[in-house]
Amino acid sequence: MGRIPRWGRRCNRIHSFGPDGKAGGMIRLISEDSPDEEQGPDLGEVVRKIFEPDGILQKTLDFEFRQEQADMAKRVHDCLQEGEHLLFEAGTGVGKSLAYLVPAILHARLRKRPCVVATNTISLQEQLLEKDIPALRKILAGVPGFEDWADFECALLVGRANYLCPNRLERARSGQTELFEAGQREELERISEWVNENPVEGIRQEMSPLPRGGVWDLVNADSSLCSSKCCSPQTCFYRKARARVESSDLVVVNHSLLFSLMGAGYGPSDEEGGVMFADDFVIFDEAHEIPEVAGEHLGLSMSSWAMETSLRRLHNPKQGKGLLKKLGRTRDLEAVEDASIAVEDFFQHLHVRVLGEKSRIRLLEKGIFPMEVFPPLSRVVRSLVELSELSEDENRKLELKDQAKRMQGYLMGLSEVSELKDDGSVYWLERAGKKNQIIHLRSAPLDIAAVLRRDLFGKQTSIVMTSATLTRKGKADSFKAQVGAEEVQEGIVNSPFDYLSNMQVRILMDCPEPMSGNREPYLKYLVEALHGSASAVEGGTLALFTNYSDLQHTYHHLLPRWKKMGRSVYAQGEGHSRSELRAKLIEEGDALLLGAESFWKGFDAKGPCLSQVIITRLPFENPSHPVMEAKTEILAEAGKSSFIELTLPSAVTRFRQGIGRLIRSQTDVGDLLIMDSRILTKRYGSQFLSELPNPNYESLSFSELFGE
């Protein structure tokens, strides 16, 4: 097989997504076309001059010298120079983005190798693109002999379904009477107006509010209609992005897309090396998220909503609309109608007979699904294939083939879940959606470490992982075992912040047991403690929860009281997006924000607008999740405790992430209040206490803290 162009692999990989959006040691790396080490510039010396006291970084950007940042930059350079993997924990405030970006771009330019920077949150992507990468250009422009390198090419890579395809938009508008109802036609016109405003990237995230999924799916670039034959970089946002990525030295991507692509089996050949592109190297920021995100995106995911919507787009007899309205024969329309009924019956069976009153259930037996759904779906696939062969319109042919592949994907997914085909995966069903009516069929590999050891760390390229929370008690053994990177080099630098002076830590020692049979005392205590502590602080407060029910209970009890005070209380899931909640916290300066899940990590608000963080409960993961259940069984067979091996390490890491929301700059000061008294009374509490940035905590009762 000949050498596959880098972009060709990327394009195919992204194009493979379905409607759900899913789809070790030292290595010596000197590419054939790389200059000999003796002939090239001494990049190590360049890195040293940039980060040294009174160096280029300080002179160019007026940044203060941080020894921790200089140490990290040197280790990243050494890793890339020697072709090694590196795990590096850098505490909050080290400036790790520039510490890895500087040596990475130098290495990428000298060796003519693309660098992939993978982040988990949109906020960090925005920080890189809007702040850190422009700063990097200024730094390089100030390095004698490297001024031209400041013009390095950089691109953001997102899944192709996020891009608008003007060609598909025009086709949808011209045939909208066939496919759209009144409300959808209005949404189509809103998208058209947005395009006329010349969006920067042409991705859905630039629209506010976000476009409706049902309409966007018919105009995005995730279709064979968006091809090099029909679209060009001059007219199509996706094609323009492709061209930009093809020539980029630095590509920014999120963890989800990277692992989805990896799970779909695309990428460079073994001979070429690399993870996403030929001869690339990868830097994972927010690397503590790798185990969870990899597990989620290396498995299978299908939903009742996606399947039912796909069939309605082919033919909706109630509205007389759909792709096959004019193209299909009577038997084709009947095939879709039969399949729609079969799919509805299938998921109704799962809803009533399999899930029952449960929101999630692990699948342990093969063949418990009704088989009646398979023949009707197979007939739809045959109809679509036949119609594509009969069509003389090339665009219609491509569209029909796309739909056939999609339906075939559903058949294969249903078969895999029904037969539990992969012994190394765990399968389950779960309900989701606002009304809990959407059923998802899911799977995840049980041994993420084995997959990553082979498909990530086994590649002939350097992998760098960095985060503020990769270790426990100064060691990264637990994390390395989780991701299959047992032999990687590692380094740690602590935060330069003065936590002893700037952070006060208090622990409530008489909080009722949160999981007791009668939760009323706990919930009452929770509400009163939050009200008392948050109202006593002049600035803003972030209260972190481990479940939505407690969060909602607290929000609805505090809302009227805070309105009377003339202050605001906001809650995740109560009408505002995460970015909107952050903006309100910053703007108002004295609000109370209640958050769960994603607010424990990556939420950044500097200054007095966030003067207090409250941890309501120690963040233990739900042990009844199917993946946890299966891993617990495996550990039990080996005579090990899942609590010690899995639950506790994960909770400690999340605990550290939550604490990290408080002090975000050298001048930040704030209070940390921990309400869960188990941190003092349980044996495992010492594991959490040892991770406090300021070990000088004060334990108080409710009456001592609030004077009651």
Side-chain angles (χ1 to χ4, degrees):
M1 174 182 274
R3 184 180 176 89
I4 303 173
R6 274 183 14 217
W7 178 258
R9 286 192 301 276
R10 302 175 198 169
C11 171
N12 291 338
R13 185 66 170 268
I14 300 170
H15 183 62
S16 69
F17 287 164
D20 283 285
K22 297 280 187 182
M26 181 180 291
I27 310 165
R28 188 63 177 171
L29 295 171
I30 299 293
S31 60
E32 294 179 2
D33 57 353
S34 296
D36 191 82
E37 286 179 296
E38 304 297 325
Q39 300 173 355
D42 185 349
L43 298 186
E45 181 64 13
V46 176
V47 171
R48 187 186 67 78
K49 287 183 176 297
I50 289 174
F51 290 98
E52 68 183 355
D54 298 319
I56 295 168
L57 177 64
Q58 279 188 274
K59 294 176 181 177
T60 304
L61 300 177
D62 195 28
F63 283 12
E64 64 181 21
F65 168 72
R66 296 178 184 175
Q67 185 62 54
E68 298 89 352
Q69 186 180 46
D71 292 344
M72 178 178 176
K74 180 181 185 303
R75 286 297 302 272
V76 173
H77 161 72
D78 293 345
C79 154
L80 299 178
Q81 181 75 11
E82 299 300 326
E84 297 176 344
H85 301 320
L86 174 67
L87 179 153
F88 202 97
E89 179 175 281
T92 305
V94 165
K96 60 178 176 293
S97 298
L98 286 177
Y100 63 69
L101 283 173
V102 167
I105 197 63
L106 291 173
H107 188 79
R109 288 298 300 264
L110 179 65
R111 302 300 182 190
K112 295 181 172 59
R113 300 176 59 197
C115 171
V116 176
V117 175
T119 76
N120 188 57
T121 60
I122 293 176
S123 60
L124 180 54
Q125 281 191 354
E126 292 174 346
Q127 176 191 311
L128 289 172
L129 295 169
E130 298 171 9
K131 178 184 175 184
D132 296 326
I133 289 172
L136 175 61
R137 295 188 190 280
K138 291 180 181 179
I139 293 169
L140 293 178
V143 181
F146 288 79
E147 295 88 350
D148 292 346
W149 286 25
D151 293 328
F152 63 87
E153 296 291 331
C154 175
L156 171 67
L157 178 63
V158 299
R160 66 183 294 172
N162 291 281
Y163 292 96
L164 177 85
C165 174
N167 179 41
R168 292 193 76 200
L169 174 62
E170 187 56 37
R171 287 180 59 83
R173 293 186 68 194
S174 63
Q176 59 183 294
T177 54
E178 301 175 25
L179 300 172
F180 299 104
E181 57 190 54
Q184 293 174 320
R185 288 196 294 272
E186 292 176 5
E187 184 73 343
L188 199 63
E189 290 307 312
R190 188 171 75 90
I191 294 173
S192 299
E193 292 172 4
W194 167 68
V195 173
N196 292 332
E197 295 171 0
N198 297 315
V200 178
E201 299 285 346
I203 57 177
R204 61 188 294 270
Q205 290 84 351
E206 293 179 67
M207 289 189 68
S208 182
L210 291 175
R212 292 166 57 182
V215 179
W216 184 260
D217 285 349
L218 293 172
V219 299
N220 68 39
D222 192 13
S223 165
S224 297
L225 288 175
C226 184
S227 65
S228 56
K229 292 182 180 180
C230 306
C231 303
S232 72
Q234 288 71 41
T235 59
C236 179
F237 295 108
Y238 175 60
R239 297 289 143 182
K240 182 179 179 180
R242 279 186 52 172
R244 189 163 57 246
V245 171
E246 175 64 22
S247 62
S248 289
D249 304 291
L250 181 65
V251 179
V252 179
V253 66
N254 65 38
H255 291 182
S256 299
L257 179 58
L258 187 151
F259 288 119
S260 292
L261 298 181
M262 184 186 296
Y266 291 86
S269 66
D270 291 338
E271 292 77 16
E272 293 171 315
V275 175
M276 292 188 69
F277 316 126
D279 204 28
D280 67 9
F281 59 97
V282 182
I283 297 174
F284 285 94
D285 204 337
E286 303 177 305
H288 57 270
E289 300 288 353
I290 289 177
E292 181 178 346
V293 180
E296 182 177 351
H297 290 276
L298 292 175
L300 175 146
S301 179
M302 298 171 57
S303 76
S304 56
W305 180 88
M307 293 183 66
E308 291 166 355
T309 301
S310 295
L311 288 167
R312 283 196 297 270
R313 287 179 190 148
L314 293 177
H315 172 52
N316 190 333
K318 293 182 180 179
Q319 297 177 354
K321 300 181 183 299
L323 179 64
L324 302 186
K325 179 181 178 182
K326 293 182 179 179
L327 301 176
R329 302 157 296 191
T330 300
R331 64 174 180 269
D332 302 321
L333 302 180
E334 290 176 348
V336 176
E337 290 179 27
D338 291 344
S340 297
I341 294 171
V343 167
E344 184 178 346
D345 290 345
F346 173 78
F347 282 106
Q348 182 64 17
H349 176 87
L350 299 186
H351 178 76
V352 176
R353 299 293 181 85
V354 181
L355 280 165
E357 298 298 319
K358 299 179 180 178
S359 60
R360 182 188 294 120
I361 188 170
R362 181 179 166 198
L363 298 173
L364 298 170
E365 298 180 34
K366 297 180 179 181
I368 66 170
F369 288 177
M371 303 301 291
E372 291 81 2
V373 71
F374 289 94
L377 282 175
S378 298
R379 284 194 291 272
V380 171
V381 173
R382 286 198 299 271
S383 286
L384 291 169
V385 171
E386 289 176 6
L387 289 171
S388 68
E389 293 173 347
L390 292 171
S391 177
E392 296 180 359
D393 184 313
E394 187 62 28
N395 287 330
R396 288 294 190 193
K397 184 186 292 287
L398 290 172
E399 195 164 358
L400 289 164
K401 284 184 176 180
D402 274 351
Q403 297 303 321
K405 289 178 182 177
R406 179 169 299 201
M407 291 299 157
Q408 185 63 45
Y410 290 142
L411 278 169
M412 294 173 64
L414 288 172
S415 176
E416 178 181 341
V417 178
S418 176
E419 295 302 316
L420 310 181
K421 288 186 176 180
D422 183 4
D423 292 337
S425 293
V426 58
Y427 295 88
W428 73 95
L429 305 178
E430 62 185 11
R431 291 192 179 95
K434 292 182 179 180
K435 297 182 180 180
N436 232 20
Q437 292 298 308
I438 299 175
I439 294 180
H440 288 260
L441 288 75
R442 302 286 307 276
S443 78
L446 276 171
D447 192 354
I448 293 295
V451 177
L452 297 183
R453 192 179 294 117
R454 179 190 68 229
D455 296 338
L456 184 63
F457 300 104
K459 297 290 185 179
Q460 298 300 299
T461 191
S462 290
I463 307 295
V464 177
M465 297 172 287
T466 186
S467 167
T469 52
L470 293 175
T471 67
R472 287 178 60 210
K473 298 181 180 179
K475 295 184 179 180
D477 296 354
S478 177
F479 178 81
K480 291 196 291 187
Q482 281 185 288
V483 300
E486 292 86 352
E487 302 301 320
V488 302
Q489 301 292 320
E490 65 179 271
I492 300 175
V493 290
N494 295 322
S495 171
F497 295 163
D498 184 1
Y499 289 105
L500 291 177
S501 301
N502 295 350
M503 175 188 284
Q504 177 180 242
V505 182
R506 294 173 297 176
I507 302 174
L508 284 171
M509 60 184 183
D510 59 353
C511 182
E513 170 63 46
M515 298 307 293
S516 61
N518 178 13
R519 301 197 74 236
E520 186 174 343
Y522 169 74
L523 292 173
K524 182 178 179 181
Y525 188 104
L526 174 65
V527 170
E528 295 305 322
L530 274 174
H531 175 70
S533 55
S535 60
V537 172
E538 292 185 3
T541 295
L542 171 64
L544 297 171
F545 289 76
T546 59
N547 66 66
Y548 285 106
S549 61
D550 288 358
L551 184 154
Q552 291 168 345
H553 175 90
T554 304
Y555 173 70
H556 291 296
H557 278 75
L558 289 182
L559 186 59
R561 297 167 69 175
W562 275 61
K563 281 185 177 179
K564 289 181 180 179
M565 291 166 46
R567 294 175 67 176
S568 300
V569 56
Y570 298 104
Q572 180 181 1
E574 294 291 337
H576 297 288
S577 68
R578 174 185 160 113
S579 59
E580 289 171 338
L581 290 171
R582 177 178 179 271
K584 288 184 177 296
L585 190 71
I586 293 173
E587 179 184 353
E588 297 184 22
D590 64 351
L592 168 60
L593 173 57
L594 314 180
E597 293 187 355
S598 63
F599 283 80
W600 286 78
K601 50 200 177 186
F603 185 83
D604 191 2
K606 296 182 178 68
C609 68
L610 182 48
S611 297
Q612 181 175 224
V613 167
I614 300 175
I615 293 179
T616 60
R617 285 171 62 179
L618 297 178
F620 290 112
E621 187 178 350
N622 182 358
S624 65
H625 190 283
V627 175
M628 284 293 291
E629 282 186 357
K631 289 181 177 181
T632 296
E633 292 168 4
I634 293 173
L635 288 169
E637 291 176 1
K640 298 180 179 180
S641 163
S642 63
F643 181 81
I644 298 299
E645 301 290 333
L646 298 174
T647 307
L648 185 57
S650 176
V652 171
T653 297
R654 196 175 178 192
F655 177 75
R656 293 182 64 194
Q657 292 160 7
I659 294 173
R661 301 312 98 214
L662 183 58
I663 305 296
R664 306 299 299 172
S665 73
Q666 290 277 16
T667 58
D668 269 358
V669 295
D671 297 333
L672 172 67
L673 176 63
I674 301 170
M675 289 182 51
D676 196 334
S677 57
R678 292 178 297 178
I679 197 171
L680 299 173
T681 61
K682 301 292 185 181
R683 290 181 60 185
Y684 57 71
S686 61
Q687 304 259 3
F688 294 93
L689 292 173
S690 66
E691 301 293 348
L692 290 173
N694 181 354
N696 302 319
Y697 64 87
E698 184 179 8
S699 56
L700 302 163
S701 66
F702 185 96
S703 59
E704 289 174 323
L705 183 59
F706 301 113
E708 296 179 12

